[in-house]
Protein backbone atom coordinates (compact mmCIF):
# COMPACT_ATOMS: atom_id res chain seq x y z
CA UNK A 1 0.00 0.00 0.00
CA UNK A 2 1.22 3.50 -0.74
CA UNK A 3 1.04 5.96 2.15
CA UNK A 4 1.71 9.70 2.05
CA UNK A 5 2.69 11.40 5.31
CA UNK A 6 2.28 15.16 5.18
CA UNK A 7 4.49 16.74 7.82
CA UNK A 8 7.92 15.25 8.57
CA UNK A 9 8.25 16.42 12.13
CA UNK A 10 8.30 14.22 15.17
CA UNK A 11 5.03 12.35 14.65
CA UNK A 12 5.16 12.25 10.84
CA UNK A 13 8.71 11.01 10.60
CA UNK A 14 8.40 8.32 13.28
CA UNK A 15 5.05 7.12 11.90
CA UNK A 16 6.28 7.21 8.29
CA UNK A 17 9.44 5.27 9.09
CA UNK A 18 7.48 2.66 11.08
CA UNK A 19 4.86 2.23 8.32
CA UNK A 20 7.70 1.72 5.84
CA UNK A 21 9.19 -0.84 8.20
CA UNK A 22 5.83 -2.66 8.14
CA UNK A 23 6.36 -3.04 4.38
CA UNK A 24 4.29 -0.12 3.07
CA UNK A 25 5.59 2.27 0.43
CA UNK A 26 5.85 5.61 2.24
CA UNK A 27 6.67 9.13 1.14
CA UNK A 28 7.19 11.74 3.87
CA UNK A 29 6.39 15.25 2.73
CA UNK A 30 7.43 18.58 4.21
CA UNK A 31 7.44 22.08 2.81
CA UNK A 32 10.70 22.84 4.64
CA UNK A 33 13.30 22.22 1.91
CA UNK A 34 16.22 22.20 4.36
CA UNK A 35 14.55 19.47 6.43
CA UNK A 36 13.97 17.30 3.34
CA UNK A 37 17.56 17.92 2.15
CA UNK A 38 18.85 16.89 5.57
CA UNK A 39 16.69 13.73 5.53
CA UNK A 40 18.06 12.86 2.08
CA UNK A 41 21.52 13.18 3.62
CA UNK A 42 20.51 10.89 6.48
CA UNK A 43 20.40 13.67 9.08
CA UNK A 44 17.45 13.49 11.49
CA UNK A 45 15.71 16.77 12.40
CA UNK A 46 14.98 15.44 15.91
CA UNK A 47 16.70 13.25 18.46
CA UNK A 48 14.85 9.96 18.89
CA UNK A 49 16.66 6.75 19.80
CA UNK A 50 16.74 4.29 16.89
CA UNK A 51 15.13 6.62 14.36
CA UNK A 52 18.22 7.23 12.22
CA UNK A 53 18.83 3.51 11.77
CA UNK A 54 15.16 2.83 11.00
CA UNK A 55 15.08 5.62 8.41
CA UNK A 56 18.35 4.50 6.86
CA UNK A 57 17.35 0.87 6.43
CA UNK A 58 13.95 1.73 4.95
CA UNK A 59 15.40 4.32 2.56
CA UNK A 60 17.92 1.68 1.42
CA UNK A 61 15.16 -0.85 0.81
CA UNK A 62 13.36 1.73 -1.32
CA UNK A 63 10.23 1.83 0.84
CA UNK A 64 10.80 5.28 2.35
CA UNK A 65 11.36 8.53 0.46
CA UNK A 66 11.08 12.26 1.09
CA UNK A 67 9.65 15.11 -0.93
CA UNK A 68 8.62 18.76 -0.77
CA UNK A 69 6.16 18.33 -3.62
CA UNK A 70 2.83 17.38 -2.04
CA UNK A 71 0.84 17.47 -5.27
CA UNK A 72 2.87 14.71 -6.93
CA UNK A 73 3.84 12.81 -3.78
CA UNK A 74 0.24 12.02 -2.81
CA UNK A 75 -0.63 10.49 -6.20
CA UNK A 76 -1.55 6.84 -5.87
CA UNK A 77 -1.56 6.90 -2.06
CA UNK A 78 -4.50 5.06 -0.49
CA UNK A 79 -3.92 6.76 2.86
CA UNK A 80 -2.78 10.37 3.18
CA UNK A 81 -1.86 11.29 6.74
CA UNK A 82 -1.89 14.85 8.02
CA UNK A 83 0.82 15.06 10.69
CA UNK A 84 1.60 18.75 10.85
CA UNK A 85 1.95 20.80 14.03
CA UNK A 86 -1.00 22.17 16.02
CA UNK A 87 0.79 24.56 18.40
CA UNK A 88 -1.04 26.57 21.05
CA UNK A 89 -2.32 29.71 19.36
CA UNK A 90 -0.66 32.82 20.72
CA UNK A 91 -2.83 34.54 23.29
CA UNK A 92 -5.72 32.13 23.79
CA UNK A 93 -4.33 28.57 24.08
CA UNK A 94 -6.59 27.26 21.29
CA UNK A 95 -4.90 24.73 19.03
CA UNK A 96 -3.71 26.56 15.92
CA UNK A 97 -5.24 24.63 13.01
CA UNK A 98 -3.95 26.81 10.19
CA UNK A 99 -1.36 24.20 9.08
CA UNK A 100 -3.94 21.39 9.12
CA UNK A 101 -6.41 23.43 7.07
CA UNK A 102 -3.74 24.54 4.59
CA UNK A 103 -2.69 20.91 4.01
CA UNK A 104 -6.33 19.87 3.53
CA UNK A 105 -6.69 22.58 0.85
CA UNK A 106 -3.51 21.43 -0.87
CA UNK A 107 -4.67 17.81 -0.84
CA UNK A 108 -8.06 18.84 -2.22
CA UNK A 109 -6.38 20.72 -5.06
CA UNK A 110 -4.41 17.72 -6.29
CA UNK A 111 -6.17 14.52 -5.16
CA UNK A 112 -6.92 12.29 -8.17
CA UNK A 113 -7.42 8.79 -6.76
CA UNK A 114 -9.74 7.48 -4.04
CA UNK A 115 -8.08 7.87 -0.66
CA UNK A 116 -8.56 8.08 3.05
CA UNK A 117 -7.35 11.35 4.57
CA UNK A 118 -6.19 10.67 8.12
CA UNK A 119 -5.60 13.32 10.76
CA UNK A 120 -2.77 12.18 13.01
CA UNK A 121 -2.06 15.66 14.32
CA UNK A 122 -3.68 16.25 17.70
CA UNK A 123 -6.77 18.26 16.79
CA UNK A 124 -9.80 19.50 18.71
CA UNK A 125 -13.15 17.77 18.35
CA UNK A 126 -14.80 18.74 15.08
CA UNK A 127 -11.60 19.31 13.12
CA UNK A 128 -12.29 16.22 11.00
CA UNK A 129 -15.64 17.78 10.00
CA UNK A 130 -13.85 20.95 8.91
CA UNK A 131 -11.21 19.00 6.95
CA UNK A 132 -14.08 17.15 5.24
CA UNK A 133 -15.76 20.46 4.34
CA UNK A 134 -12.52 21.81 2.89
CA UNK A 135 -12.12 18.70 0.73
CA UNK A 136 -15.78 18.80 -0.33
CA UNK A 137 -15.32 22.42 -1.42
CA UNK A 138 -12.16 21.55 -3.36
CA UNK A 139 -11.76 20.60 -7.00
CA UNK A 140 -11.28 16.88 -6.35
CA UNK A 141 -13.74 14.41 -7.81
CA UNK A 142 -12.07 11.41 -6.14
CA UNK A 143 -13.89 9.45 -3.44
CA UNK A 144 -12.43 10.29 -0.04
CA UNK A 145 -13.09 9.72 3.63
CA UNK A 146 -11.70 11.79 6.51
CA UNK A 147 -10.58 9.61 9.44
CA UNK A 148 -9.13 10.46 12.85
CA UNK A 149 -6.19 8.35 14.05
CA UNK A 150 -4.55 9.97 17.07
CA UNK A 151 -1.00 9.06 18.07
CA UNK A 152 0.10 8.12 21.58
CA UNK A 153 3.87 8.22 21.08
CA UNK A 154 6.17 9.10 23.94
CA UNK A 155 9.30 10.97 23.02
CA UNK A 156 12.30 8.75 23.58
CA UNK A 157 10.20 5.60 23.21
CA UNK A 158 8.26 6.52 20.09
CA UNK A 159 9.31 3.63 17.83
CA UNK A 160 8.48 1.04 20.44
CA UNK A 161 5.17 2.78 21.23
CA UNK A 162 4.33 2.74 17.52
CA UNK A 163 5.19 -0.91 16.98
CA UNK A 164 3.79 -2.22 20.25
CA UNK A 165 0.85 0.06 21.01
CA UNK A 166 -1.54 -0.43 23.92
CA UNK A 167 -4.25 0.31 21.36
CA UNK A 168 -4.86 1.89 17.99
CA UNK A 169 -7.79 4.31 17.88
CA UNK A 170 -9.48 4.84 14.53
CA UNK A 171 -12.32 7.31 14.24
CA UNK A 172 -14.49 6.56 11.23
CA UNK A 173 -17.91 5.08 10.71
CA UNK A 174 -17.47 4.45 6.99
CA UNK A 175 -16.73 0.99 5.55
CA UNK A 176 -14.21 2.46 3.10
CA UNK A 177 -12.38 4.26 5.92
CA UNK A 178 -12.29 1.13 8.09
CA UNK A 179 -11.13 -1.09 5.25
CA UNK A 180 -8.19 1.15 4.30
CA UNK A 181 -7.15 1.70 7.93
CA UNK A 182 -7.25 -2.04 8.64
CA UNK A 183 -4.85 -2.52 5.75
CA UNK A 184 -2.59 0.31 7.02
CA UNK A 185 -2.29 -1.32 10.44
CA UNK A 186 -2.49 -4.94 9.23
CA UNK A 187 0.93 -5.93 10.58
CA UNK A 188 -0.16 -4.82 14.06
CA UNK A 189 -3.59 -6.38 13.62
CA UNK A 190 -1.91 -9.73 13.06
CA UNK A 191 0.11 -8.97 16.17
CA UNK A 192 -3.17 -8.70 18.05
CA UNK A 193 -2.67 -5.06 19.00
CA UNK A 194 -6.18 -3.95 19.91
CA UNK A 195 -7.83 -1.69 17.32
CA UNK A 196 -10.70 0.42 18.56
CA UNK A 197 -13.06 1.81 15.96
CA UNK A 198 -15.06 4.81 17.13
CA UNK A 199 -16.81 7.82 15.65
CA UNK A 200 -14.47 10.53 14.38
CA UNK A 201 -15.39 12.92 17.18
CA UNK A 202 -14.86 10.27 19.85
CA UNK A 203 -11.40 9.50 18.46
CA UNK A 204 -10.50 13.19 18.50
CA UNK A 205 -11.60 13.49 22.12
CA UNK A 206 -9.88 10.24 23.21
CA UNK A 207 -6.49 11.81 22.50
CA UNK A 208 -7.18 14.86 24.69
CA UNK A 209 -8.89 12.85 27.40
CA UNK A 210 -5.95 10.41 27.57
CA UNK A 211 -3.35 13.16 27.90
CA UNK A 212 -5.46 15.14 30.38
CA UNK A 213 -5.96 12.02 32.49
CA UNK A 214 -2.23 11.23 32.54
CA UNK A 215 -1.43 14.87 33.40
CA UNK A 216 -3.97 14.61 36.23
CA UNK A 217 -2.37 11.43 37.56
CA UNK A 218 1.05 13.11 37.65
CA UNK A 219 -0.30 16.26 39.27
CA UNK A 220 -2.21 14.23 41.84
CA UNK A 221 0.90 12.37 42.96
CA UNK A 222 2.90 15.62 42.97
CA UNK A 223 0.44 17.16 45.42
CA UNK A 224 0.49 13.96 47.48
CA UNK A 225 4.28 14.31 47.55
CA UNK A 226 3.97 17.80 49.04
CA UNK A 227 1.59 16.43 51.63
CA UNK A 228 3.97 13.54 52.37
CA UNK A 229 6.70 16.06 53.20
CA UNK A 230 4.39 17.79 55.68
CA UNK A 231 3.03 14.68 57.38
CA UNK A 232 6.21 12.65 57.38
CA UNK A 233 5.25 10.02 54.80
CA UNK A 234 7.13 8.68 51.77
CA UNK A 235 5.55 9.34 48.36
CA UNK A 236 7.38 6.40 46.76
CA UNK A 237 5.56 4.08 49.16
CA UNK A 238 2.28 5.90 48.66
CA UNK A 239 2.67 5.54 44.87
CA UNK A 240 3.41 1.85 45.16
CA UNK A 241 0.61 1.37 47.65
CA UNK A 242 -2.03 2.92 45.46
CA UNK A 243 -0.55 1.72 42.14
CA UNK A 244 -0.92 -1.94 43.13
CA UNK A 245 -4.65 -1.41 42.98
CA UNK A 246 -5.46 -2.57 39.47
CA UNK A 247 -8.12 0.10 39.17
CA UNK A 248 -5.49 2.80 39.67
CA UNK A 249 -2.43 1.30 37.97
CA UNK A 250 1.22 1.89 38.81
CA UNK A 251 2.24 4.01 35.83
CA UNK A 252 2.48 7.81 35.78
CA UNK A 253 2.60 8.01 39.55
CA UNK A 254 6.18 9.18 39.77
CA UNK A 255 6.37 12.46 41.68
CA UNK A 256 8.66 15.10 40.26
CA UNK A 257 9.04 18.75 39.26
CA UNK A 258 5.87 18.77 37.12
CA UNK A 259 5.11 17.61 33.61
CA UNK A 260 6.39 19.35 30.50
CA UNK A 261 6.95 18.48 26.87
CA UNK A 262 5.25 19.02 23.58
CA UNK A 263 1.94 17.37 24.44
CA UNK A 264 0.60 17.58 27.99
CA UNK A 265 0.88 21.38 28.45
CA UNK A 266 -0.50 22.17 24.99
CA UNK A 267 -3.23 19.52 24.96
CA UNK A 268 -4.58 20.26 28.45
CA UNK A 269 -4.89 23.94 27.48
CA UNK A 270 -6.62 23.08 24.21
CA UNK A 271 -9.05 20.81 26.08
CA UNK A 272 -9.92 23.69 28.41
CA UNK A 273 -10.70 25.84 25.38
CA UNK A 274 -12.94 23.17 23.85
CA UNK A 275 -14.73 22.78 27.18
CA UNK A 276 -15.22 26.53 27.35
CA UNK A 277 -16.55 26.70 23.78
CA UNK A 278 -19.09 23.98 24.52
CA UNK A 279 -19.92 25.45 27.95
CA UNK A 280 -19.03 22.17 29.63
CA UNK A 281 -16.32 22.96 32.17
CA UNK A 282 -13.61 20.44 32.99
CA UNK A 283 -12.65 21.86 36.39
CA UNK A 284 -10.30 19.07 37.34
CA UNK A 285 -8.17 19.77 34.28
CA UNK A 286 -8.31 23.52 35.05
CA UNK A 287 -6.82 22.78 38.47
CA UNK A 288 -4.20 20.43 37.00
CA UNK A 289 -2.96 23.13 34.62
CA UNK A 290 -2.71 25.72 37.40
CA UNK A 291 -1.03 23.40 39.89
CA UNK A 292 1.52 22.20 37.34
CA UNK A 293 2.33 25.73 36.18
CA UNK A 294 3.14 26.95 39.65
CA UNK A 295 5.08 23.81 40.55
CA UNK A 296 8.05 24.53 38.29
CA UNK A 297 9.11 27.74 40.02
CA UNK A 298 8.24 26.19 43.38
CA UNK A 299 10.92 23.59 42.63
CA UNK A 300 13.40 26.42 42.14
CA UNK A 301 12.43 27.70 45.58
CA UNK A 302 13.01 24.22 46.98
CA UNK A 303 16.62 24.50 45.81
CA UNK A 304 16.86 27.99 47.33
CA UNK A 305 15.63 26.59 50.66
CA UNK A 306 18.33 23.92 50.48
CA UNK A 307 20.87 26.72 50.10
CA UNK A 308 19.59 28.18 53.37
CA UNK A 309 16.88 30.55 52.11
CA UNK A 310 16.73 33.66 49.93
CA UNK A 311 19.34 35.68 51.82
CA UNK A 312 21.87 32.88 51.98
CA UNK A 313 21.26 31.84 48.36
CA UNK A 314 22.09 35.19 46.75
CA UNK A 315 25.42 35.01 44.92
CA UNK A 316 25.69 31.23 45.27
CA UNK A 317 26.03 28.75 42.40
CA UNK A 318 23.82 25.78 41.58
CA UNK A 319 25.02 22.96 39.34
CA UNK A 320 22.00 21.77 37.38
CA UNK A 321 21.98 18.23 35.99
CA UNK A 322 19.44 17.86 33.19
CA UNK A 323 17.48 20.44 31.23
CA UNK A 324 15.11 18.55 28.93
CA UNK A 325 11.54 17.84 30.10
CA UNK A 326 12.45 14.16 30.41
CA UNK A 327 15.40 11.92 29.45
CA UNK A 328 16.15 10.55 25.95
CA UNK A 329 15.00 13.63 24.11
CA UNK A 330 16.48 17.00 23.22
CA UNK A 331 13.07 18.63 23.68
CA UNK A 332 13.00 21.67 25.96
CA UNK A 333 9.36 22.62 25.39
CA UNK A 334 7.75 23.55 28.71
CA UNK A 335 10.55 21.78 30.55
CA UNK A 336 10.37 22.23 34.35
CA UNK A 337 14.09 23.08 34.17
CA UNK A 338 13.15 26.47 32.70
CA UNK A 339 11.06 27.47 35.72
CA UNK A 340 13.62 26.05 38.14
CA UNK A 341 16.51 27.96 36.54
CA UNK A 342 14.53 31.18 36.27
CA UNK A 343 13.41 31.09 39.90
CA UNK A 344 17.04 30.54 40.93
CA UNK A 345 18.34 33.37 38.75
CA UNK A 346 15.61 35.72 39.98
CA UNK A 347 16.93 35.08 43.49
CA UNK A 348 20.45 36.02 42.41
CA UNK A 349 21.72 32.45 42.11
CA UNK A 350 24.17 31.57 39.34
CA UNK A 351 23.21 28.45 37.37
CA UNK A 352 25.70 26.15 35.65
CA UNK A 353 24.04 23.32 33.72
CA UNK A 354 24.75 20.16 31.80
CA UNK A 355 22.37 18.06 29.70
CA UNK A 356 23.38 15.20 27.39
CA UNK A 357 21.15 16.28 24.47
CA UNK A 358 19.21 19.43 25.35
CA UNK A 359 21.78 22.21 25.65
CA UNK A 360 21.46 23.47 22.09
CA UNK A 361 17.70 23.92 22.45
CA UNK A 362 18.09 25.27 25.97
CA UNK A 363 20.54 28.05 25.12
CA UNK A 364 18.06 30.53 23.61
CA UNK A 365 15.51 29.79 26.36
CA UNK A 366 18.00 30.18 29.20
CA UNK A 367 20.58 32.67 27.89
CA UNK A 368 22.02 33.40 31.35
CA UNK A 369 22.61 29.79 32.28
CA UNK A 370 26.22 28.75 31.79
CA UNK A 371 26.28 25.42 29.92
CA UNK A 372 29.16 22.97 30.32
CA UNK A 373 29.99 19.71 28.56
CA UNK A 374 30.24 17.30 31.46
CA UNK A 375 28.16 16.63 34.60
CA UNK A 376 31.20 16.96 36.84
CA UNK A 377 32.02 20.34 35.29
CA UNK A 378 28.54 21.54 36.36
CA UNK A 379 29.18 20.23 39.86
CA UNK A 380 32.62 21.82 40.25
CA UNK A 381 32.39 24.75 42.65
CA UNK A 382 28.60 24.40 43.07
CA UNK A 383 27.05 25.32 46.41
CA UNK A 384 24.28 22.82 45.66
CA UNK A 385 23.65 20.26 42.93
CA UNK A 386 20.10 20.00 41.53
CA UNK A 387 19.15 16.87 39.61
CA UNK A 388 16.31 18.03 37.34
CA UNK A 389 16.06 15.37 34.58
CA UNK A 390 16.62 11.67 35.29
CA UNK A 391 19.08 10.87 32.49
CA UNK A 392 20.74 7.48 33.05
CA UNK A 393 24.18 9.07 33.36
CA UNK A 394 23.03 10.92 36.49
CA UNK A 395 21.81 7.76 38.21
CA UNK A 396 25.18 6.55 39.36
CA UNK A 397 27.23 9.66 40.04
CA UNK A 398 30.49 9.08 41.86
CA UNK A 399 29.34 10.66 45.14
CA UNK A 400 32.87 10.93 46.56
CA UNK A 401 33.93 12.84 43.47
CA UNK A 402 30.82 15.04 43.67
CA UNK A 403 31.69 15.88 47.27
CA UNK A 404 35.25 16.68 46.33
CA UNK A 405 34.35 18.95 43.42
CA UNK A 406 31.34 20.76 44.89
CA UNK A 407 31.68 23.69 47.21
CA UNK A 408 29.14 22.16 49.59
CA UNK A 409 27.69 18.62 49.74
CA UNK A 410 24.05 19.49 49.05
CA UNK A 411 22.05 17.36 46.59
CA UNK A 412 18.52 18.33 45.58
CA UNK A 413 17.06 15.38 43.70
CA UNK A 414 13.86 16.51 41.96
CA UNK A 415 13.35 13.03 40.42
CA UNK A 416 13.91 10.82 43.48
CA UNK A 417 16.69 8.94 41.68
CA UNK A 418 18.80 8.32 44.79
CA UNK A 419 18.33 6.37 47.98
CA UNK A 420 18.19 8.96 50.79
CA UNK A 421 20.05 6.74 53.28
CA UNK A 422 22.88 6.08 50.86
CA UNK A 423 23.39 9.72 49.91
CA UNK A 424 23.24 10.85 53.53
CA UNK A 425 25.71 8.14 54.51
CA UNK A 426 28.05 9.57 51.87
CA UNK A 427 27.97 12.82 53.81
CA UNK A 428 25.43 14.81 51.83
CA UNK A 429 22.55 16.99 52.82
CA UNK A 430 19.91 15.39 50.63
CA UNK A 431 16.56 16.88 49.60
CA UNK A 432 14.12 14.97 47.38
CA UNK A 433 10.42 14.99 46.49
CA UNK A 434 7.81 13.78 48.94
CA UNK A 435 10.21 12.00 51.26
CA UNK A 436 10.42 13.50 54.70
C1 LIG B 1 3.05 12.17 26.20
C2 LIG B 1 2.14 10.93 26.20
O1 LIG B 1 2.68 9.94 27.06
C3 LIG B 1 1.97 10.40 24.80
O2 LIG B 1 1.07 9.30 24.81
C4 LIG B 1 1.42 11.52 23.96
O3 LIG B 1 1.12 11.13 22.66
C5 LIG B 1 2.36 12.71 23.97
O4 LIG B 1 2.55 13.14 25.31
P1 LIG B 1 5.67 12.67 26.14
O5 LIG B 1 5.29 14.11 26.22
O6 LIG B 1 6.68 12.26 25.14
O7 LIG B 1 4.37 11.79 25.83
O8 LIG B 1 6.22 12.24 27.57
P2 LIG B 1 5.77 11.36 28.83
O9 LIG B 1 6.72 10.25 28.97
O10 LIG B 1 4.35 11.02 28.79
O11 LIG B 1 6.07 12.41 30.01
C6 LIG B 1 5.44 13.67 30.05
C7 LIG B 1 5.88 14.46 31.24
O12 LIG B 1 5.36 13.93 32.44
C8 LIG B 1 7.39 14.53 31.45
O13 LIG B 1 7.74 15.86 31.83
C9 LIG B 1 7.65 13.55 32.57
O14 LIG B 1 8.81 13.85 33.31
C10 LIG B 1 6.40 13.72 33.40
N1 LIG B 1 6.05 12.54 34.20
C11 LIG B 1 5.66 11.37 33.61
C12 LIG B 1 6.11 12.62 35.59
O15 LIG B 1 6.47 13.67 36.16
N2 LIG B 1 5.75 11.53 36.32
C13 LIG B 1 5.34 10.37 35.75
O16 LIG B 1 5.02 9.43 36.50
C14 LIG B 1 5.30 10.28 34.34
Amino acid sequence: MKIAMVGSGYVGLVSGACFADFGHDVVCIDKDQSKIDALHAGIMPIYEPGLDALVESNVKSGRLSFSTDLASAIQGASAIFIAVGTPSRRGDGHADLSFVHAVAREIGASLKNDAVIVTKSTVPVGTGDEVERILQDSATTAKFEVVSNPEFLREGAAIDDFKRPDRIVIGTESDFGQEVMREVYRPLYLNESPILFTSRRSAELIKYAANAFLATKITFINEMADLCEKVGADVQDVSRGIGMDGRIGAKFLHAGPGYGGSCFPKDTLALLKTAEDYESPVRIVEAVVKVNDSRKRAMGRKVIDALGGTEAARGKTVGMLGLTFKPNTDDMRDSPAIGVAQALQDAGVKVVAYDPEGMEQARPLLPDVHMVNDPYAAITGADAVALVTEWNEFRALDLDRVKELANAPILVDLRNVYDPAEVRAAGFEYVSIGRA
Side-chain angles (χ1 to χ4, degrees), residues 399-400 403 419-430:
L399 291 179
D400 290 335
K403 220 164 92 185
D419 174 6
E422 226 168 82
V423 183
R424 287 185 185 127
F428 279 81
E429 191 186 312
Y430 178 70

Side-chain angles (χ1 to χ4, degrees), residues 152 154-155 207 218 252-254 260 263 325-326 415:
F152 303 100
R154 284 165 307 160
E155 289 185 24
K207 168 70 195 229
I218 296 167
F252 276 68
L253 283 178
H254 194 79
C263 286
F325 79 99
K326 67 171 196 178
R415 299 285 183 172

Side-chain angles (χ1 to χ4, degrees), residues 10-11 48 122 150-158 161 167 207 210-211 214-215 217-219 221-222 239 250-265 267 292 295-296 324-327 329 331 333-336 388-390 414-415:
Y10 191 78
V11 171
E48 178 65 30
T122 298
E151 53 82 18
F152 303 100
L153 309 177
R154 284 165 307 160
E155 289 185 24
D161 282 351
R167 79 306 203 185
K207 168 70 195 229
N211 276 353
L214 292 170
K217 234 179 147 180
I218 296 167
T219 308
I221 203 66
N222 283 343
S239 283
K251 291 183 181 161
F252 276 68
L253 283 178
H254 194 79
Y259 62 78
S262 61
C263 286
F264 289 172
D267 294 349
N292 192 66
R295 186 167 186 85
K296 300 174 181 176
T324 51
F325 79 99
K326 67 171 196 178
T329 174
D331 202 333
R333 280 176 283 182
D334 280 298
S335 173
V388 183
T389 315
E390 69 279 34
L414 298 181
R415 299 285 183 172

Side-chain angles (χ1 to χ4, degrees), residues 70-84:
L70 183 144
S72 26
I74 66 166
Q75 298 314 324
S78 309
I80 304 169
F81 283 81
I82 303 179
V84 293

